Amino acid sequence: MNELPQNAFHLRSDVHVETEGEFKGWRTWTRDAFETHNGPFWHRMDENGKVQCVFRVEQKHLNGQRNVHGGCYMAFADYCLFAMASAHLQSPGVTVSFACEFLDAAQEGELIECDGEVTRAGGSLIFLRGTLRSGERKLFTFSGTIKRVGKKLPAAGASGA
């Protein structure tokens, strides 16, 4: 249930699978110091093959009005782009475009979830869109494009020359 497809970019050395607590079995990446500091953000694949992303709002995610800071929504949405694209990424990638709309505020303690999809995966670009929500309440919508960069990773079990 929580495994990504064999061709997914999950062979990264920085994948951490949580072993206890609310997010037991969920994955996060530890290489990105910004995400590590601002998260933790989590992802997994459900039984239908759809990537799910979540985080629990803590005090450090809030702005001066005690709502989730807009930059936190944006950082989480960027994390979600890469989690949703993981089955299509076979090399590192970078975000080359990002657009968003702020719809509603969230407060400390809420669980923020992402629903999203890859709308097109081409030769070097992957196009995605998503919605952040708390329960049924929509909070934030976004779209983005990831560009594959660097060398393609070898297929599982393949030997490199």
Side-chain angles (χ1 to χ4, degrees):
M1 174 170 145
N2 293 326
E3 292 302 315
L4 295 174
Q6 289 297 321
N7 69 339
F9 189 45
H10 73 292
L11 302 173
R12 294 167 43 162
S13 62
D14 66 332
V15 171
H16 166 75
V17 180
E18 185 60 37
T19 58
E20 57 187 40
E22 177 180 15
F23 298 106
K24 182 177 181 178
W26 289 76
R27 300 170 188 275
T28 193
W29 295 299
T30 59
R31 182 184 66 192
D32 189 312
F34 183 84
E35 285 176 355
T36 299
H37 178 74
N38 289 289
F41 302 140
W42 303 98
H43 65 280
R44 70 177 179 189
M45 186 169 282
D46 71 14
E47 60 277 357
N48 299 316
K50 187 168 175 104
V51 174
Q52 301 172 310
C53 300
V54 298
F55 82 99
R56 177 74 62 190
V57 178
E58 299 176 23
Q59 184 178 4
K60 69 179 181 177
H61 300 127
L62 305 179
N63 62 21
Q65 296 178 340
R66 312 299 300 156
N67 296 317
V68 173
H69 193 285
C72 181
Y73 279 160
M74 295 170 76
F76 178 57
D78 188 65
Y79 175 94
C80 295
L81 289 175
F82 283 85
M84 292 185 299
S86 60
H88 301 277
L89 277 171
Q90 297 189 356
S91 67
V94 296
T95 306
V96 294
S97 73
F98 185 88
C100 63
E101 295 80 32
F102 298 90
L103 306 175
D104 202 353
Q107 284 77 41
E108 187 172 357
E110 290 189 66
L111 182 70
I112 308 299
E113 302 175 80
C114 177
D115 295 319
E117 65 180 342
V118 173
T119 58
R120 183 174 187 278
S124 65
L125 297 176
I126 303 170
F127 301 86
L128 306 102
R129 66 178 168 209
T131 301
L132 303 186
R133 60 182 171 75
S134 177
E136 296 299 315
R137 197 171 88 250
K138 291 181 180 181
L139 305 170
F140 181 89
T141 59
F142 65 96
S143 62
T145 306
I146 295 172
K147 178 171 179 51
R148 293 180 185 99
V149 298
K151 292 183 179 179
K152 199 173 193 181
L153 295 176
S159 61

